[in-house]
Amino acid sequence: MRKVTDDERRDRIGLRHALAAATAGVEDAVRAVACLHATEASSIYLSAYARSRADRESISDALFGRRTVVRQLAMRRTVFAFPADLFAAARGSAAARVARQLTARLVKDAELAGISDGAAWVAERCAEALAAIREEPGTTVQLRARVPELSTRIAAEGRPTVLAPVGSRVLTVLAASGSVVRGDNAGKWQTSRPVWTAVEQWLGEDPGVLDEREGYRELVRRWLWSFGPGTEDDLVWWLGATKTAVRRALDDVGAAPAELEDGTPAWLHPLDDEEVRLDGDWAALLPTLDPTTMGWRRRDFYLGGHAPLLFDGAGNAGPTAWWNGRIVGTWTQRPDGTVEVVPIEPLSRAAAAALEAEAEKLTAWFDGEVVATGYVPPIVRGRINRQAAGGAPGR
């Protein structure tokens, strides 16, 4: 059993996640971390840029032109951007699990609204919406106008006394099932206004669905190569799956047992038997919910004690600044679009200079645009509050 030190794990982040050296293109940048978080539309662009240095036009082409990167609701009910060749695996495993959960909740809420057979009613609404999308793709607003039943008001999810139109929830069920995908974007690159499109229309053909066991096996195989060594708990969290599903997938992959620096049992990809070492320093500025920041449940080896400054109570992280495999700060934009690094610990001259160089590159990439995030790190919120109160910005 091989022991993998924290130093080696940090070197692996630089190499495997394409942060120490850029990939050849957008698709390779996505594969470097299995898939990209896509909760915020801008994060897809910023995560791809950090790993490939691609401009916005090239990233948009991968999403909407070549369609080699596909957005899909999957693990932990989160939207991800998958390589197109991983779509069938996610669709049959993590996404299918979410679809079942969403459908069951929708059925329950329909019956709370007085519909006697909630399951049949939900199936009818899904069929009507899918037929309308196949006839002509559309945004949620457009589809509600074309399919009046999608405006039916039932109990809102988690709020039984509040009634809300069912349309968005029906479309979310279809999206989780993989019947429809987020096709073109009716908004700007940094906002999400998906044009719902049937999967066979968007990709040219239906890519199929791997069965649950095979789907999890493929997701775990790719995660192990990018994020390994990782623990069983890391995978249960990342997949939003059961321990039974994870243990079976690890066995199916033939994962190699390993040991972390503190003695915790972990797993490696079966072909990952060489020590990974990285010569030279590297710096990176990653966006909200970047897959590197969010890839493990146990984060001390790259996060240290900084979680309260960067993560909210639900475990979501805002933008992060990295130096040699550790998070050493966050970053924000000034009103003129200039990117500013906000350290959360003392930085060496080399680290400060490298991060400032990254900030200058990212400022040029933004080209004057300012992108808001819904996940402002606590340390930045405090900074904003001090500025609003007329105090010194501080760090």
Side-chain angles (χ1 to χ4, degrees):
M1 184 182 298
R2 191 156 77 82
K3 187 165 189 172
V4 183
T5 66
D6 288 349
D7 282 342
E8 181 182 349
R9 296 183 79 188
R10 290 188 282 266
D11 284 349
R12 284 169 169 267
I13 290 176
L15 287 171
R16 296 282 171 86
H17 291 200
L19 295 173
T23 65
V26 176
E27 291 80 5
D28 287 341
V30 179
R31 292 191 187 96
V33 284
C35 54
L36 302 180
H37 274 258
T39 301
E40 292 189 348
S42 61
S43 288
I44 303 174
Y45 287 80
L46 291 165
S47 291
Y49 161 76
R51 295 169 173 85
S52 68
R53 303 302 178 180
D55 56 29
R56 290 199 292 274
E57 291 73 19
S58 298
I59 299 167
S60 291
D61 186 43
L63 287 165
F64 309 116
R66 299 192 309 276
R67 304 177 184 181
T68 50
V69 179
V70 184
R71 293 172 293 170
Q72 169 67 23
L73 189 68
M75 296 84 79
R76 307 185 314 280
R77 195 176 166 177
T78 298
V79 181
F80 290 87
F82 288 94
D85 64 354
L86 192 55
F87 179 82
R91 186 184 185 188
S93 55
R97 176 179 170 83
V98 171
R100 290 192 297 269
Q101 293 169 340
L102 293 174
T103 301
R105 186 55 188 263
L106 186 52
V107 167
K108 180 180 179 180
D109 287 342
E111 291 176 349
L112 283 174
I115 296 168
S116 59
D117 189 344
W121 187 85
V122 169
E124 289 172 5
R125 300 293 81 75
C126 287
E128 290 167 349
L130 182 56
I133 290 168
R134 284 175 172 159
E135 181 180 338
E136 182 182 355
T139 65
T140 301
V141 172
Q142 291 169 339
L143 290 166
R144 281 181 56 192
R146 288 164 47 199
V147 185
E149 291 79 2
L150 295 181
S151 295
T152 303
R153 301 174 74 84
I154 68 168
E157 185 175 5
R159 295 179 294 169
T161 61
V162 178
L163 299 182
V166 74
S168 61
R169 293 179 65 184
V170 168
L171 293 167
T172 302
V173 167
L174 290 174
S177 72
S179 300
V180 305
V181 295
R182 291 161 171 79
D184 286 319
N185 184 19
K188 294 182 178 180
W189 68 273
Q190 67 270 47
T191 60
S192 181
R193 289 185 58 202
V195 177
W196 301 104
T197 307
V199 63
E200 68 273 12
Q201 293 172 325
W202 187 248
L203 296 179
E205 61 179 4
D206 191 316
V209 184
L210 294 186
D211 67 38
E212 181 178 342
R213 181 168 182 168
E214 182 65 13
Y216 278 130
R217 187 201 70 82
E218 184 59 18
L219 288 175
V220 167
R221 185 182 71 83
R222 298 203 191 193
W223 185 91
L224 284 173
W225 183 258
S226 297
F227 294 89
T231 68
E232 182 183 289
D233 283 345
D234 288 331
L235 272 165
V236 168
W237 177 84
W238 187 78
L239 287 170
T242 64
K243 287 187 177 182
T244 298
V246 167
R247 289 169 181 169
R248 186 172 62 185
L250 287 167
D251 186 59
D252 288 345
V253 168
E259 186 178 80
L260 303 183
E261 185 170 295
D262 64 2
T264 301
W267 299 94
L268 284 165
H269 189 284
L271 302 180
D272 195 3
D273 53 5
E274 296 292 332
E275 183 179 12
V276 174
R277 285 300 179 192
L278 175 61
D279 294 325
D281 298 325
W282 62 272
L285 298 180
L286 302 182
T288 292
L289 299 175
D290 184 85
T292 299
T293 310
M294 302 296 295
W296 298 265
R297 186 173 187 176
R298 293 167 54 99
R299 299 167 177 151
D300 286 350
F301 76 98
Y302 64 90
L303 185 57
H306 298 318
L309 299 175
L310 297 169
F311 285 76
D312 64 20
N316 298 308
T320 51
W322 293 71
W323 174 246
N324 290 341
R326 292 181 58 251
I327 296 178
V328 295
T330 181
W331 60 271
T332 186
Q333 281 186 284
R334 298 172 186 162
D336 65 358
T338 300
V339 173
E340 180 182 5
V341 176
V342 182
I344 55 178
E345 63 179 55
L347 301 180
S348 66
R349 287 185 179 181
L355 287 169
E356 181 58 33
E358 288 299 311
E360 291 175 359
K361 294 175 186 176
L362 188 53
T363 296
W365 186 89
F366 276 122
D367 193 24
E369 293 196 58
V370 178
V371 176
T373 176
Y375 301 89
V376 178
I379 188 174
V380 174
R381 286 201 300 271
R383 180 187 180 91
I384 293 171
N385 292 339
R386 287 193 297 274
Q387 289 175 319
R395 283 190 176 179

